[in-house]
Amino acid sequence: MLGLCNFCKSYGFWGEGDGDKTELVLQVHPPVTLDTSRMGDEVVVIKNGTRLCGSGGCLGTASIVQDKSYFEVKIQREGTWGVGLSSGTLDVNKIPFGNDKLSWVLREDGKIYHNSEAIGNLPEVPRESDVLGLAYDHVEISFHLNGKPLNASVRGPKGGAVFPAFFVDKDAILDVFFSNFQFVPPSGFSRIMYEQTIL
């Protein structure tokens, strides 16, 4: 707390005893969820923004700003699905993701797609009830299956806003965990956090 006080004083947020005090306000954000303002026309988001079903894509409500972020996806029901990262300008009605330069997506076949090419694959294909963990350090995306590292990673997006991205089709259902993880994240990685704004 002392460090925050010294920071506030040094940047003029807090006056020195003359009654001249400037208030420091941190903007509080709701939890990260699936973004119902950036989802496909035939997508259904339920369970307080954590379950994706129907047909189409959806992005997370927060871009990834910290150095090491992590989120999980449980395959609640098999079908056609994908999970990964994308820019915020991705067309959420155009699936499957991974067929453009804006998305890096693991699909139900265990392959990771970008720009219509398979750029990597998992040693194990995820199945119903499996939990996928995605760790991103602004260079690589690495994948975990039921808490176990898969030693499979690909180079991810560079620069600009990057969002968690998901799509479903043909009866697939995905449950997304942006916190309260099923498994412990890799060392140094944590949940996606909103960029903090000082007013």
Side-chain angles (χ1 to χ4, degrees):
M1 187 67 179
L2 184 59
L4 180 59
C5 293
N6 289 336
F7 169 83
C8 293
K9 285 181 182 178
S10 64
Y11 283 93
F13 294 121
W14 212 325
E16 286 286 343
D18 59 359
D20 176 25
K21 297 194 183 211
T22 303
E23 203 173 312
L24 174 67
V25 179
L26 292 179
Q27 187 172 353
V28 178
H29 294 281
V32 177
T33 60
L34 295 168
D35 191 344
T36 55
S37 70
R38 287 185 295 178
M39 68 180 196
D41 297 334
E42 296 181 25
V43 166
V44 178
V45 172
I46 57 175
K47 290 187 73 174
N48 295 319
T50 61
R51 177 169 284 179
L52 184 69
C53 44
S55 179
C58 188
L59 302 181
T61 53
S63 63
I64 299 173
V65 294
Q66 77 264 33
D67 290 338
K68 293 184 175 183
S69 60
Y70 177 81
F71 62 95
E72 291 178 340
V73 178
K74 181 176 183 179
I75 304 163
Q76 195 66 35
R77 183 185 300 158
E78 289 188 298
T80 301
W81 55 266
V83 56
L85 302 175
S86 80
S87 77
T89 58
L90 184 70
D91 183 349
V92 291
N93 284 302
K94 192 173 181 180
I95 60 171
F97 293 166
N99 285 340
D100 52 47
K101 294 181 179 181
L102 303 175
S103 57
W104 292 255
V105 177
L106 170 67
R107 296 184 193 162
E108 76 282 349
D109 62 1
K111 295 181 181 177
I112 304 137
Y113 292 86
H114 170 66
N115 202 22
S116 298
E117 292 182 29
I119 59 171
N121 63 287
L122 302 186
E124 293 179 54
V125 176
R127 297 288 179 220
E128 194 167 296
S129 297
D130 282 340
V131 175
L132 284 164
L134 280 79
Y136 177 56
D137 65 2
H138 284 274
V139 177
E140 289 185 331
I141 310 165
S142 61
F143 298 88
H144 299 73
L145 186 62
N146 300 319
K148 180 179 72 173
L150 291 175
N151 298 320
S153 62
V154 294
R155 288 218 173 256
K158 294 180 182 176
V162 177
F163 291 83
F166 315 88
F167 76 84
V168 290
D169 198 15
K170 297 183 181 174
D171 298 324
I173 298 174
L174 299 178
D175 283 349
V176 181
F177 301 93
F178 292 108
S179 61
N180 300 321
F181 301 123
Q182 307 298 294
F183 297 95
V184 176
S187 179
F189 286 80
S190 62
R191 64 184 175 86
I192 297 169
M193 294 177 282
Y194 288 96
E195 186 171 15
Q196 294 299 314
T197 305
I198 298 176
L199 301 177

